[in-house]
């Protein structure tokens, strides 16, 4: 990443033993990229534990290649396959949600939170409570329970390293300067595959259309979030918690080239931009190596070859999810929690062919309305309360999907 501006990081630490890293969600897009950076920096890192949901074969392969001590699947039904695939390797196998949480708590220098969705809440939170340093890709944790996560991190002296490319760029552009000196934080969006589509065309978009992201190769859920721009909404909420920035200081701009990932406008008008080719290995390497910057092979940004960078305001009529997320942030923690839960249900329903593309945002809005009509929920003050509220949001959203299908 070419970062414009100085980053005020501590001095490099003396030569040390390899850093022990645990990867939650090791079989996914972020998990695989994390393992690829670790493989490139052999000697600098050692893998403590890797986890997945059901994909035992892929997890076992990752554990063997990385030389992990422990591999865990959340789904107990996948335990037999995992155990068989690890036979004779000396790598321990375990299964179940409690085993994933225990893996997150094991001594390690860094835990990478790369589970998708609210399923990542408990294990990522457990890592923070155990005092592990954490790099977070799983933005849903911060959307569902950001205040609880940030409070736990402060109490335990944990620095949450932002792995999401936009937040990583902003973190570097901020260079440790206080939020009082910042006028605006700008998160960029590629605009997704439907940036230039009419609303009528978007209404008929299939999952295959929505999964064709123009610039990034990512997991299915975040790719759909990018197509609705809910991803940017989630990222605005994520930035609010990570950087302590009020809503009015947070903005999103469409930037189809995905080269500028984030910008910070300071009080004096100076703008620092975090830039780089769209390659998640760059922010991942930053989080793994922090506070140093380690070498990473790969293509480099050539601005002359690119010629021009363009920016436009998001079309909030075709992409209402962005406003929904901002409104939820202004409403309060219960609303961002329900927004996230309903969005996960709606994205799964769209991918399963049960609702249309434009109905994703509608379903999220209806779920928030229904929850507040029943009685405004209390602000969740513990991770357990956040999970209970998430469950309530999912039930209502699932009911709305069922009603939609019988219409
Ligand atoms: N991909 C990107 O470039 C990118 C960029 C920025 C931020 N992020 C964020 O990073 C997170 C991961 O995204 P991704 O694209 O890497 O997702 P992904 O490819 O779908 O991978 C998700 C990972 O989570 C595991 N998992 C799923 N459900 C689980 C459960 N109930 N319990 C335990 N583990 C579970 C999966 O295991 P199985 O393989 O067994 O299903 C897999 O290892 C998301 O929050 C996303 O928003 C991603």
């Amino acid at each position: 990443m070419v970062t414009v501006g100085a980053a005020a990081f501590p001095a490099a630490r003396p030569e040390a033993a390899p850093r022990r890293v645990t990867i939650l969600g090791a079989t996914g897009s972020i998990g695989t990229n994390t393992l690829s950076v670790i493989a490139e920096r052999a000697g600098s890192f050692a893998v403590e534990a890797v986890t997945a949901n059901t994909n035992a074969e892929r997890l076992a392969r990752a554990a063997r290649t990385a030389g992990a001590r422990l591999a865990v699947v959340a789904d107990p039904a996948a335990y037999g396959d995992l155990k068989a695939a690890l036979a004779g390797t000396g790598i321990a196998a375990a299964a179940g949600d409690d085993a994933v949480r225990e893996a997150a708590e094991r001594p390690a220098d860094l835990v990478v939170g790369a589970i998708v969705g609210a399923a990542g809440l408990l294990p990522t939170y457990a890592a923070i409570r155990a005092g592990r340093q954490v790099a977070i890709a799983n933005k849903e944790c911060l959307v569902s329970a950001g205040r609880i996560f940030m409070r736990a991190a402060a109490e335990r002296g944990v620095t949450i390293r932002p792995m999401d490319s936009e937040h990583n760029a902003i973190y570097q552009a901020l260079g440790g300067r206080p939020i009082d000196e910042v006028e605006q934080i700008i998160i960029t969006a590629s605009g997704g595959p439907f940036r230039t589509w009419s609303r009528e065309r978007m209404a008929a978009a299939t999952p295959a259309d929505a999964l064709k992201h123009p610039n990034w190769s990512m997991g299915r859920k975040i790719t759909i979030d990018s197509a609705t721009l809910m991803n940017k909404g989630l990222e605005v909420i994520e930035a609010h918690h990570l950087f302590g920035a009020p809503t009015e200081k947070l903005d999103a701009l469409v930037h189809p080239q995905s080269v500028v990932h984030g910008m910070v406008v300071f009080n004096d008008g100076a703008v620092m931009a975090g830039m780089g080719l769209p390659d998640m290995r760059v922010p991942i390497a930053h989080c793994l190596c922090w506070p140093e910057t380690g070498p990473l092979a790969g293509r480099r940004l050539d601005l002359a070859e690119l010629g021009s960078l363009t920016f436009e305001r998001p079309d909030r009529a075709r992409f209402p999810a962005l406003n929904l997320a901002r409104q939820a942030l202004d409403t309060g923690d219960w609303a961002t929690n329900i927004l996230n839960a309903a969005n996960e249900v709606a994205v799964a329903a769209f991918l399963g062919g049960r609702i249309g593309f434009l109905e994703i945002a509608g379903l999220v809005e209806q779920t928030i309305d229904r929850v507040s009509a029943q009685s405004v929920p209390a602000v969740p003050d513990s991770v357990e309360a956040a999970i209970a509220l998430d469950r309530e949001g999912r039930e209502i959203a699932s009911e709305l999907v069922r009603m939609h299908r019988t219409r």
Side-chain angles (χ1 to χ4, degrees):
M1 177 180 300
V2 178
T3 300
V4 183
F9 292 144
R13 63 195 183 124
E15 249 342 282
R19 285 183 192 179
R20 296 209 72 77
V21 182
T22 286
I23 303 155
L24 308 174
T27 50
S29 164
I30 291 287
T32 306
N33 275 309
T34 303
L35 287 163
S36 138
V37 173
I38 287 176
E40 186 178 323
R41 305 284 316 277
S44 300
F45 301 101
V47 175
E48 178 65 25
V50 286
T51 78
N53 189 21
T54 56
N55 203 335
E57 195 204 317
R58 192 163 184 174
L59 184 69
R61 211 177 323 124
R64 279 198 308 268
T65 310
R69 287 184 178 157
L70 169 69
V72 184
V73 274
D75 179 3
Y79 178 69
D81 288 346
L82 181 67
K83 186 103 182 113
L86 291 175
T89 61
I91 302 169
D97 289 335
D98 285 347
V100 174
R101 184 182 40 73
E102 281 161 23
E105 290 170 343
R106 281 165 83 97
D109 297 307
L110 182 68
V111 175
V112 174
I115 292 174
V116 63
L121 270 167
L122 266 184
T124 316
Y125 185 74
I128 295 172
R129 290 300 312 164
R132 307 289 160 249
Q133 299 304 311
V134 167
I136 284 196
N138 177 267
K139 62 193 85 190
E140 294 92 345
C141 282
L142 295 174
V143 176
S144 291
R147 198 180 307 274
I148 298 160
F149 269 62
M150 298 313 288
R151 190 179 60 206
E155 281 169 9
R156 302 293 293 139
V158 169
T159 306
I160 296 184
R161 304 177 200 174
M163 205 172 244
D164 218 348
S165 56
E166 294 78 1
H167 303 75
N168 189 271
I170 290 161
Y171 180 75
Q172 296 200 54
L174 272 170
R177 283 157 75 179
I179 201 68
D180 296 356
E181 293 179 16
V182 173
E183 207 163 88
Q184 203 162 47
I185 288 178
I186 301 168
I187 301 169
T188 63
S190 69
F194 306 144
R195 183 174 66 88
T196 59
W197 286 33
S198 68
R199 206 175 146 76
E200 292 67 40
R201 204 174 157 205
M202 286 165 72
T206 64
D209 294 328
L211 286 168
K212 275 187 214 131
H213 195 281
N215 303 336
W216 296 93
S217 162
M218 309 181 284
R220 285 159 65 86
K221 194 260 176 182
I222 185 176
T223 306
I224 302 300
D225 286 345
S226 300
T228 58
L229 286 203
M230 180 60 91
N231 189 42
K232 266 336 99 174
L234 301 180
E235 286 176 6
V236 164
I237 299 167
E238 186 184 5
H240 164 76
H241 290 294
L242 281 172
F243 306 123
T247 325
E248 61 275 13
K249 286 194 181 185
L250 296 165
D251 202 5
L253 262 189
V254 172
H255 166 47
Q257 297 81 21
S258 297
V259 162
V260 175
H261 304 307
M263 290 176 266
V264 179
V265 183
F266 288 94
N267 284 343
D268 57 2
V271 183
M272 302 292 173
M275 302 166 66
L277 291 171
D279 178 357
M280 279 311 295
R281 294 171 80 249
V282 177
I284 288 171
H286 178 261
C287 288
L288 289 174
C289 298
W290 189 89
E292 296 111 30
T293 301
L296 187 71
R299 277 180 62 220
R300 296 296 188 251
L301 178 61
D302 182 339
L303 286 172
E305 185 192 348
L306 206 63
S308 63
L309 299 177
T310 59
F311 299 89
E312 60 203 41
R313 299 205 187 287
D315 179 341
R316 289 170 193 266
R318 279 185 309 128
F319 299 100
L322 190 50
N323 275 1
L324 272 178
R326 290 188 76 95
Q327 281 161 12
L329 181 55
D330 285 337
T331 304
D333 294 355
W334 73 263
T336 58
N337 178 298
I338 297 290
L339 172 103
N340 182 68
N343 182 54
E344 287 193 33
V345 171
V347 169
F350 170 67
L351 285 171
R354 296 189 296 279
I355 63 171
F357 180 76
L358 291 182
E359 277 139 13
I360 297 175
L363 199 121
V364 173
E365 186 171 18
Q366 284 171 41
T367 307
I368 295 175
D369 287 350
R370 275 232 186 162
V371 171
S372 66
Q374 284 175 3
S375 75
V376 173
V379 169
D381 62 355
S382 67
V383 80
E384 290 76 15
I387 289 168
L389 188 57
D390 172 272
R391 214 168 282 142
E392 192 183 326
R394 275 166 208 273
E395 276 166 21
I396 292 172
S398 302
E399 173 63 20
L400 288 168
V401 171
R402 278 194 292 277
M403 283 165 55
H404 174 86
R405 293 195 73 199
T406 52
R407 247 192 266 149

